[in-house]
Amino acid sequence: MKRRIGILTSGGDCPGLNAAIRGVARAAYEMFDAEIIGIRNGYGGLIEGDYQEMRKKQFSGILTLGGTILGTSRTPFRNMRVIEENGVDKVAAMKKTYKDLELDCLVTLGGNGTHKTANLLSEEGLNVIGLPKTIDNDIYGTDFTFGFHTAVDIATEVIDRIHTTATSHGRCMVIEIMGNKAGWLTLYSGVAGGADVILLPEIPYDINRVAETVEARANSKKPFSILAVAEGAMSVEESKMKKKEREAYRASLPYDCISKRIAAQLQELVGVEARSVVPGHIQRGGSPSAYDRVLSTQFGVHAAQLIRDEHYGVTVALKGNKIVHNDLKDIAGVPKPVPMDDPVVVTARNMGINMGD
Ligand code: F6P
């Protein structure tokens, strides 16, 4: 049995992409006569016909490597059917590359946007299998995406390191964690790092409520405060605005990110010395954690099994401790925000962490 497999990584990178690519390849070579074509730089490479026939040895030594050996790019789903100035019909171009390469299937590793395009290509008749990666953990239908736990470890280490300097100076430290629409990373790292306040995009905050905790701590024997704030956190007032209105409001403020704004507000309201910290893309860099190496490998191997069984139009997922798959049409474009009754939210509240509301 022979299968020609195209594989690409799309959207923001994360640790574990290479481990997942390796999982697909190793299991595919093990199970059947596999030929693997690496598509460069995500859907951009599929559109432009930028690819490379891979050899078995290229999948060796990449388990621990961060980033993606295939390169990646953001090719927004909303533009996929738009013909740009260069006149290229992107969907037709992707189908042509797939056909020219005589692929039996395409494996796409990515987040929400990647899955929407994967579903589009599946509807267009291509055999597609998705693998869910993102440090945001916001893909519907899977308990966890790969890349998430590594980012939690990194963000937790940032909080730990900030903790010691916050203690020395008795300062209020506002740490901005990645996650624009979903607060999973902030929630987990905030709890793991022992934050006093955790602000998520899903729970609009009242700055006066936040100030109460910071003030109470400032007057205690432990005068420092640690705030874990998602980059997409928003105040109660902002949550009532439409997206465009909110963007215009933020642009009118003298702060280029939420953590600077909150630090300045707390300095003003409470009179504490406050600092903001933005670890940014450090949270997406470097080697995957042991957990993510295992999960990525399991996801990759499951994808190879699906290819063997010619089971397409699906994306791999973790449910409980089982690796399963969901139909692309059921999960593509469905968000996964942190629910208010999530066990970790409940845990945080029960131990007195201020969630801003
Ligand atoms: O989706 C992953 C993510 O890191 C988000 O948490 C963040 O908002 C965004 O990507 C940053 O995107 P970029 O790498 O394009 O700056």
Side-chain angles (χ1 to χ4, degrees):
M1 181 182 66
K2 190 173 136 188
R3 298 264 188 280
R4 270 177 75 76
I5 305 163
I7 185 161
L8 63 81
T9 52
S10 179
D13 71 343
C14 74
L17 282 166
N18 291 323
I21 292 169
R22 171 181 174 271
V24 177
R26 290 267 300 249
Y29 288 129
E30 196 67 27
M31 287 178 200
F32 45 84
D33 180 11
E35 290 175 356
I36 302 181
I37 292 90
I39 316 281
R40 289 197 195 95
N41 302 327
Y43 291 117
L46 195 61
I47 294 165
E48 289 158 20
D50 186 5
Y51 59 85
Q52 179 191 9
E53 299 266 355
M54 306 286 284
R55 279 181 285 164
K56 203 171 178 178
K57 67 173 187 204
Q58 288 175 279
F59 299 103
S60 177
I62 62 170
L63 172 65
T64 62
L65 202 64
T68 161
I69 59 166
L70 299 174
T72 187
S73 64
R74 290 196 189 273
T75 320
F77 171 74
R78 64 177 177 280
N79 295 339
M80 277 301 178
R81 292 210 184 265
V82 177
I83 312 284
E84 317 271 354
E85 274 173 14
N86 60 11
V88 174
D89 179 334
K90 296 190 256 315
V91 177
M94 288 192 282
K95 288 167 73 175
K96 182 173 183 306
T97 305
Y98 181 96
K99 196 160 170 268
D100 289 350
L101 287 172
E102 297 178 351
L103 297 180
D104 293 300
C105 69
L106 178 69
V107 180
T108 62
L109 289 72
N112 275 317
T114 304
H115 277 81
K116 285 195 252 182
T117 299
N119 186 45
L120 178 157
L121 292 175
S122 175
E123 285 171 353
E124 288 285 329
L126 308 194
N127 296 329
V128 186
I129 294 174
L131 290 183
K133 70 88 220 190
T134 162
I135 64 163
D136 295 340
N137 193 38
D138 60 347
I139 299 183
Y140 185 76
T142 185
D143 293 350
F144 291 114
T145 53
F146 65 86
F148 172 66
H149 279 90
T150 307
V152 171
D153 290 348
I154 298 168
T156 302
E157 191 187 340
V158 170
I159 297 173
D160 288 349
R161 287 179 184 273
I162 293 299
H163 229 123
T164 60
T165 164
T167 314
S168 310
H169 290 266
R171 280 175 176 157
C172 170
M173 302 297 283
V174 185
I175 305 149
E176 182 166 323
I177 311 288
M178 271 187 164
N180 228 325
K181 294 185 189 141
W184 293 103
L185 184 53
T186 308
L187 176 65
Y188 274 64
S189 58
V191 169
D196 307 299
V197 177
I198 297 179
L199 303 182
L200 312 179
E202 294 87 344
I203 307 177
Y205 69 85
D206 173 351
I207 193 68
N208 295 308
R209 224 354 241 121
V210 175
E212 281 170 22
T213 293
V214 174
E215 183 156 35
R217 288 186 61 85
N219 294 325
S220 75
K221 287 201 177 116
K222 285 187 169 184
F224 69 93
S225 288
I226 302 289
L227 281 73
V229 176
E231 64 174 326
M234 63 179 89
S235 65
V236 174
E237 298 76 38
E238 286 175 302
S239 71
K240 291 178 186 148
M241 297 176 191
K242 296 224 166 72
K243 195 173 169 216
K244 283 244 160 72
E245 196 188 343
R246 188 163 56 238
E247 281 168 1
Y249 169 68
R250 286 184 170 180
S252 74
L253 300 174
Y255 313 107
D256 59 2
C257 61
I258 187 77
S259 55
K260 282 191 190 154
R261 184 185 357 159
I262 290 178
Q265 285 177 308
L266 292 172
Q267 202 150 295
E268 172 81 24
L269 283 170
V270 187
V272 287
E273 197 181 8
R275 295 280 189 276
S276 69
V277 179
V278 186
H281 289 78
I282 289 171
Q283 295 161 94
R284 287 206 334 233
S287 188
S289 65
Y291 179 96
D292 272 332
R293 292 179 202 181
V294 174
L295 185 65
S296 304
T297 303
Q298 284 182 293
F299 278 0
V301 171
H302 191 87
Q305 287 166 335
L306 291 166
I307 296 167
R308 178 197 60 198
D309 301 341
E310 296 182 280
H311 192 103
Y312 303 121
V314 294
T315 191
V316 181
L318 175 74
K319 286 266 176 65
N321 61 358
K322 296 220 161 44
I323 307 296
V324 297
H325 45 270
N326 297 309
D327 286 347
L328 277 170
K329 65 175 168 32
D330 294 337
I331 65 101
V334 184
K336 191 184 81 171
V338 176
M340 291 310 96
D341 62 349
D342 181 82
V344 184
V345 172
V346 175
T347 297
R349 288 195 190 282
N350 283 344
M351 62 188 299
I353 296 175
N354 183 328
M355 304 295 289
D357 55 349

